[in-house]
Amino acid sequence: MTSTNVERTVFIVSDGTGITAETFSHSVLSQFEEAQFRSTRLPFIDSREKVEEAVAKINRCAQDTGKPPLVFSTLVNPDMAALLKDANGIFLDLFGTFVKPLEEALGMKSSHSIGRSHGSGTSQKYRNRIEAINFSLSHDDGQYVHGLDKADVILVGVSRCGKTPTSLYLAMQYAIKVANFPLIPEDFERGTLPATLAPFRKKLFGLSILPERLSEVRNERRPNSKYSTLEQCRYEVAEAERLMRIESIPFVSTTTRSIEEISTKVLQEVGLEAHIY
Amino acid sequence: MTSTNVERTVFIVSDGTGITAETFSHSVLSQFEEAQFRSTRLPFIDSREKVEEAVAKINRCAQDTGKPPLVFSTLVNPDMAALLKDANGIFLDLFGTFVKPLEEALGMKSSHSIGRSHGSGTSQKYRNRIEAINFSLSHDDGQYVHGLDKADVILVGVSRCGKTPTSLYLAMQYAIKVANFPLIPEDFERGTLPATLAPFRKKLFGLSILPERLSEVRNERRPNSKYSTLEQCRYEVAEAERLMRIESIPFVSTTTRSIEEISTKVLQEVGLEAHIY
């Protein structure tokens, strides 16, 4: 355990954006709780010259810090990957490691073409993402009720329970059109769903939250307001959950979940498991 | 090349959301252009029972399709990963493959704890993300000019050049506060930046786009309007680029780039390379 509390440099080297590799490296490295990491992403490394520059950076870092940095690579081109491997670093080949067994399993060669992962900015799949983002933005917080029939999902819940980030994430990541609609004290007094939503019952999905957490979140926005009191939050959450139960709207708690976790729960529950191929 | 045009099933098995593994598998599999894939994500597989259910699904699929499916695993727990490996599939261990060399390089053991990658919904890092999303939403399209001093970046460019998705992505992925502000014909007639932006020159970054592509995008929104004509788009793009050059605002083209690629370019150019650890 000699390396404890020593910062280790991490390079993410990619011929594309490197974002997936960065997120992946973050996930793997979070397993080493005692270590500290400083991560640098080197994107668009798509020529021999750029690989050589990356190698020089890695070597300089190894010299400056006295330790070979960790190098997560998603270089698709085997020659460029081989160049990078010669740098003074711990080479972790995210791409090459899996391409060979996949070639064997599929009985075909990979194309070794660069930067195909997010699709080009003009593909139909890409246009669908942009359209979903625009839809989710314009149907945020019940601000626009036309076109709700085109929504894939309509999230409902009390103000500040996490509807907006979840809607935008689902649109951005999965091209799913997600509207969201607040449940407010008037709805609880009336004891029914907003009339606007009645025709779309099957698309509704609820988010809930612990009142204590909701009160914290609201207090950050509007300190010392009635809206942010624990009492008001308890009332709204209890009434919203009661209404969702009466109306048979499934719901999940957002309290300790990240946007990714909430979004995954929503997809699971509404059976909209996305097939991204 | 016997497998050509046969669909292969892909399972993504994770004790967390599996989103990173899904994106990664998509990226690797896009190298096999002749194959078709059907992907199913099995998230939150965090107990022996759930692994056994996953194994049963994989085995059923192998039987039904007559081919062992591809299984991308990010199970952190080695016992659970071993269970999954026994399924009738091509086992690709995203996690285990890299943990061992990392343990050796770092001279420490990994914690094998589950589901740490996105942080809990209550951590400071997570709150920063939510705050950045709220900031970017409320400062979208120049709709709210107070608090621009708190922006990390202010994107400028003509209407529909990609400012909004880029702003939201940077906020969501990197907790960066990104405002965006349209450049409109009035600005071009006046020949100067909007006065509101003058104090924030150093935070400005431009997006541009080919007029032909802009005209397409605008036509989807407002068909047959003057706003969408190629002539108008040519005028606006030329004037916006002229203004950005005069004012020394760096800019990148969004024409054939994905949101991830545009965002990465912005981070590179403004020197805001994110250190996510």
Side-chain angles (χ1 to χ4, degrees):
Chain A
M1 296 288 167
T2 49
S3 311
T4 306
N5 291 326
V6 173
E7 199 179 67
R8 184 67 79 114
T9 308
V10 181
F11 286 94
I12 321 291
V13 185
S14 175
D15 45 50
T17 67
I19 293 174
T20 307
E22 177 183 49
T23 311
F24 176 77
S25 72
H26 182 208
S27 167
V28 173
L29 294 175
S30 70
Q31 294 293 316
F32 296 90
E33 293 175 25
E34 292 168 72
Q36 299 217 302
F37 300 102
R38 183 181 170 78
S39 164
T40 299
R41 180 160 55 109
L42 304 179
F44 308 124
I45 305 298
D46 53 7
S47 70
R48 232 188 132 81
E49 295 69 43
K50 287 184 186 165
V51 179
E52 281 162 4
E53 280 172 36
V55 169
K57 271 187 198 164
I58 292 164
N59 290 347
R60 212 176 309 131
C61 170
Q63 197 158 32
D64 291 351
T65 62
K67 277 172 193 288
L70 308 178
V71 180
F72 288 87
S73 159
T74 55
L75 296 183
V76 170
N77 182 298
D79 298 336
M80 293 194 198
L83 255 183
L84 184 65
K85 196 176 176 180
D86 281 343
N88 186 7
I90 311 294
F91 185 68
L92 301 149
D93 188 359
L94 292 190
F95 216 88
T97 304
F98 299 107
V99 161
K100 176 100 13 173
L102 283 169
E103 286 184 339
E104 280 167 21
L106 297 169
M108 60 176 77
K109 287 278 170 201
S110 72
S111 63
H112 294 305
S113 63
I114 281 175
R116 296 178 40 87
S117 59
H118 299 292
S120 97
T122 50
S123 69
Q124 184 57 45
K125 205 170 83 183
Y126 187 74
R127 282 214 291 273
N128 293 344
R129 278 178 83 189
I130 300 292
E131 201 186 322
I133 295 169
N134 290 332
F135 182 92
S136 294
L137 268 178
S138 61
H139 292 83
D140 182 39
D141 204 30
Q143 61 179 297
Y144 189 67
V145 297
H146 297 288
L148 282 179
D149 55 311
K150 298 204 174 61
D152 297 307
V153 184
I154 304 170
L155 296 179
V156 294
V158 300
S159 165
R160 292 285 133 196
C161 70
K163 300 183 299 298
T164 297
T166 307
S167 304
L168 291 173
Y169 185 82
L170 283 167
M172 191 148 341
Q173 183 74 10
Y174 292 110
I176 294 174
K177 289 180 182 162
V178 186
N180 75 76
F181 213 94
L183 297 179
I184 56 178
E186 285 93 299
D187 301 316
F188 309 140
E189 282 157 29
R190 207 182 46 241
T192 60
L193 284 177
T196 317
L197 298 181
F200 309 112
R201 282 278 286 284
K202 286 187 177 165
K203 297 182 176 190
L204 301 185
F205 191 86
L207 299 184
S208 195
I209 185 168
L210 274 184
E212 290 74 12
R213 175 73 189 134
L214 181 62
S215 174
E216 265 177 50
V217 173
R218 288 184 171 184
N219 258 309
E220 279 170 29
R221 286 237 130 184
R222 295 208 217 152
N224 308 316
S225 60
K226 184 191 171 210
Y227 166 83
S228 309
T229 58
L230 183 53
E231 189 190 355
Q232 179 68 17
C233 292
R234 278 195 178 129
Y235 164 72
E236 291 190 29
V237 170
E239 287 294 315
E241 293 192 356
R242 203 173 65 89
L243 192 54
M244 293 191 281
R245 280 198 196 92
I246 292 171
E247 303 275 357
S248 305
I249 301 168
F251 63 93
V252 296
S253 168
T254 64
T255 309
T256 59
R257 293 197 169 105
S258 67
I259 306 174
E260 287 82 358
E261 288 165 339
I262 302 165
S263 299
T264 298
K265 281 279 175 197
V266 172
L267 289 180
Q268 275 190 308
E269 301 274 338
V270 300
L272 253 181
E273 184 46 65
H275 296 288
I276 60 171
Y277 298 102
Chain B
M1 297 288 163
T2 50
S3 311
T4 306
N5 290 327
V6 174
E7 197 179 67
R8 184 67 79 113
T9 308
V10 180
F11 286 95
I12 321 290
V13 185
S14 175
D15 46 48
T17 66
I19 293 173
T20 307
E22 178 183 50
T23 311
F24 176 77
S25 71
H26 182 209
S27 167
V28 173
L29 294 175
S30 69
Q31 293 294 316
F32 295 91
E33 293 176 24
E34 292 168 73
Q36 299 217 301
F37 300 102
R38 183 180 170 78
S39 164
T40 298
R41 180 161 56 111
L42 304 179
F44 307 125
I45 305 298
D46 53 7
S47 70
R48 232 188 132 79
E49 294 70 43
K50 288 184 187 165
V51 179
E52 280 162 4
E53 280 172 36
V55 169
K57 271 186 198 164
I58 292 164
N59 290 346
R60 213 177 308 132
C61 170
Q63 197 158 33
D64 291 351
T65 63
K67 277 173 192 289
L70 308 178
V71 180
F72 288 87
S73 159
T74 56
L75 295 183
V76 170
N77 181 297
D79 299 335
M80 293 193 197
L83 256 183
L84 185 65
K85 197 178 176 178
D86 282 343
N88 186 7
I90 311 295
F91 186 67
L92 301 149
D93 188 358
L94 293 190
F95 216 87
T97 304
F98 299 107
V99 161
K100 175 96 21 170
L102 282 169
E103 286 184 339
E104 281 168 20
L106 297 169
M108 60 177 76
K109 287 277 169 200
S110 72
S111 64
H112 293 305
S113 62
I114 281 174
R116 295 178 41 86
S117 59
H118 299 292
S120 96
T122 50
S123 68
Q124 184 57 47
K125 205 170 81 182
Y126 187 73
R127 283 213 291 272
N128 293 345
R129 278 179 83 188
I130 299 292
E131 201 187 321
I133 294 169
N134 289 332
F135 182 92
S136 294
L137 269 178
S138 61
H139 293 83
D140 182 41
D141 204 30
Q143 61 179 294
Y144 190 67
V145 297
H146 297 288
L148 281 179
D149 55 312
K150 297 203 176 61
D152 297 308
V153 184
I154 304 171
L155 296 180
V156 296
V158 300
S159 165
R160 292 286 134 195
C161 70
K163 300 183 298 298
T164 297
T166 307
S167 304
L168 291 172
Y169 185 82
L170 283 167
M172 192 149 340
Q173 184 75 9
Y174 292 110
I176 294 173
K177 290 180 182 161
V178 186
N180 75 75
F181 214 93
L183 296 179
I184 57 177
E186 285 95 300
D187 300 317
F188 309 140
E189 282 157 31
R190 207 182 47 242
T192 60
L193 284 177
T196 318
L197 297 181
F200 310 111
R201 281 278 287 283
K202 286 186 178 166
K203 297 183 176 191
L204 300 185
F205 192 85
L207 299 185
S208 196
I209 185 168
L210 274 184
E212 290 73 13
R213 174 73 189 133
L214 181 62
S215 174
E216 266 177 50
V217 173
R218 287 184 173 185
N219 257 311
E220 279 169 29
R221 287 237 129 183
R222 295 208 217 151
N224 308 316
S225 60
K226 184 190 171 210
Y227 167 82
S228 309
T229 58
L230 183 54
E231 190 191 355
Q232 179 68 17
C233 292
R234 279 195 178 130
Y235 165 71
E236 290 190 29
V237 169
E239 288 293 314
E241 293 192 354
R242 204 173 64 89
L243 192 53
M244 293 192 280
R245 280 197 195 93
I246 292 172
E247 303 276 356
S248 305
I249 301 168
F251 64 92
V252 296
S253 167
T254 65
T255 309
T256 58
R257 293 196 169 106
S258 67
I259 306 174
E260 287 82 358
E261 289 165 340
I262 302 165
S263 299
T264 298
K265 280 280 174 197
V266 172
L267 288 180
Q268 275 190 309
E269 301 275 338
V270 300
L272 253 180
E273 184 47 64
H275 296 288
I276 60 171
Y277 297 101

